Amino acid sequence: MTALTDEQRGLRDAVATLLAKRSDSGAVRRAVERPEGSDPELWRVLCDQIGVAALAVPERFGGLGAGPREVQIVLEELGRTLTPAPLLGSVLATALLVALDDDDAAERLLPRIAAGTTAAVAWAGVDGRWSGGAFGGSESSLSGEAHFVLDGDRAEILLAVADGAVYEVDPAAARRTHTPAMDLTRRLARVRLDGVPGKRLGPADATAALASSMDATVIALAGEQVGAAARLLEMTVDYGKVRHQFGRPIGSFQALKHRMADLHVQLEAARSAAYAAADGALHPSAAKVYCSEVFTTIAGEAIQLHGGIAITWEHDAQLYFKRAHGSAALFGSPAEHLRRLETELG
């Protein structure tokens, strides 16, 4: 695992410092209760002062031209705090627009995304499969319904995947419905098109671009999963120091020490997997599988080690547990990514 550069550490520290001030547990809970499901003022600061939405956008389109590791660093910090923000959906839209190699579309849309405009990709069907798209038809008439669309009900830029091609559609022409999920910190929506015209972007067969954008997004998600898992493990270790049983902290019992040590080893392996995928040294699906499984394991252990308090609304452990299971299913389950690895790597 390559060490972070001075610039990358500076990026991490800037995001962490801002979130420490603006996105503690209380702020996160207040944000998810807002109509937009997040704090637009915090998103504006993240974009204007740090440039998080511009990281993956090439410089010639108004972005910072950073790499996957920088995007991961930001999402790792957002994952630590469970900050609800439209960055992951913007990462997917950015990666797709870059991979489509359509300069006209890139020149129109990427500067807006870099400035913080929310973008969404309506892709998966009701079965949650991210393959050829949820819609059918042609440029003159697109119909169908996409599910699990990140920030889809409030996005100002909307891309629709239909029969292996990508179309830009007018968000106002779509029927968009927020769909509350188990994980309240992840904004999802259902997008319905009924004979809506669209502008095709890139080639008629965008299979390669779709696969490339998915790889970039699961690499970014792996960083978020590692950040959330790391914070949850820290919370569990801290709880073991203050919760007493039989006259001593429960963290002093050897059995619990071993369990927490094992979780720490798994977490660091997941961090290495996420970084290796960002550096191109590991298949993105491998990172998706391992980071999903480690985060889910840590979440389950944290619930057990906290005891009954962990499943109460007042405690944050249940929020991380829900994020772990929601993230594992997002962009394809670990089982689906394992099948992809078997197909591509034999």
Side-chain angles (χ1 to χ4, degrees):
M1 182 175 68
T2 307
L4 297 181
T5 65
D6 290 342
E7 291 80 7
Q8 289 169 340
R9 284 193 292 270
L11 174 63
R12 179 196 62 194
D13 294 345
V15 176
T17 299
L18 175 60
L19 295 181
K21 296 177 180 177
R22 301 281 298 270
S23 192
D24 59 12
S25 174
V28 168
R29 289 168 180 265
R30 289 191 296 273
V32 299
E33 292 176 355
R34 299 176 65 144
E36 57 273 89
S38 64
D39 181 351
E41 292 81 12
L42 175 58
W43 175 242
R44 179 50 51 197
V45 173
L46 283 165
C47 292
D48 291 349
Q49 296 188 9
I50 301 177
V52 299
L55 283 172
V57 176
E59 291 183 68
R60 68 192 183 102
F61 298 122
L64 298 176
R69 181 74 79 88
E70 285 74 23
V71 175
Q72 268 190 349
I73 287 168
V74 173
L75 279 163
E76 189 170 343
E77 295 306 316
L78 291 173
R80 284 184 62 87
T81 54
L82 297 185
T83 299
L87 181 58
L88 191 61
S90 291
V91 168
L92 175 57
T94 298
L96 183 54
L97 287 167
V98 171
L100 286 170
D101 198 25
D102 183 329
D103 282 350
D104 175 68
E107 288 170 0
R108 285 189 300 104
L109 301 177
L110 286 177
R112 294 174 61 196
I113 294 176
T117 299
T118 304
V121 181
W123 186 344
V126 67
D127 59 358
R129 297 185 63 83
W130 303 73
S131 50
F135 304 104
S138 62
E139 287 187 85
S140 61
S141 181
L142 295 171
S143 296
E145 188 170 76
H147 294 250
F148 317 109
V149 184
L150 292 171
D151 307 295
D153 60 318
R154 58 195 178 104
E156 298 175 65
I157 296 172
L158 183 60
L159 306 180
V161 182
D163 298 326
V166 180
Y167 298 86
E168 179 188 358
V169 299
D170 180 1
R175 288 195 294 165
R176 303 185 291 168
T177 307
H178 168 52
T179 52
M182 177 177 64
D183 177 12
L184 298 178
T185 63
R186 180 87 75 195
R187 186 81 173 187
L188 299 175
R190 191 168 63 246
V191 175
R192 177 82 190 176
L193 302 180
D194 292 307
V196 174
K199 178 180 176 60
R200 200 188 78 207
L201 309 181
D205 182 1
T207 303
L210 290 166
S212 174
S213 64
M214 182 59 69
D215 284 346
T217 309
V218 298
I219 288 171
L221 176 62
E224 181 196 89
Q225 290 172 309
V226 167
R231 178 59 190 137
L232 182 55
L233 182 56
E234 290 170 8
M235 291 166 52
T236 306
V237 171
D238 290 343
Y239 183 74
K241 296 176 182 178
V242 299
R243 174 71 169 90
H244 284 66
Q245 189 70 35
F246 305 112
R248 53 192 287 197
I250 62 172
S252 67
F253 294 110
Q254 189 175 40
L256 296 191
K257 286 182 179 180
H258 287 172
R259 287 173 70 176
M260 293 186 194
D262 287 343
L263 294 176
H264 175 73
V265 171
Q266 292 182 50
L267 173 64
E268 291 308 307
R271 192 189 309 277
S272 295
Y275 286 4
D279 294 339
L282 184 70
H283 196 291
S285 285
K288 174 64 162 72
V289 171
Y290 195 70
C291 292
S292 295
E293 292 185 348
V294 169
F295 187 14
T296 301
T297 297
I298 290 176
E301 289 287 303
I303 294 295
Q304 284 194 352
L305 293 171
H306 274 86
I309 191 175
I311 60 173
T312 63
W313 175 252
E314 292 75 13
H315 202 281
D316 286 345
Q318 50 91 12
L319 297 176
Y320 287 87
F321 181 86
K322 293 170 182 175
R323 173 64 71 89
H325 287 272
S327 296
L330 192 62
F331 306 128
S333 68
E336 291 177 86
H337 282 274
L338 279 174
R339 287 194 291 272
R340 182 188 177 199
L341 288 171
E342 291 172 354
T343 299
E344 295 188 9
L345 304 180

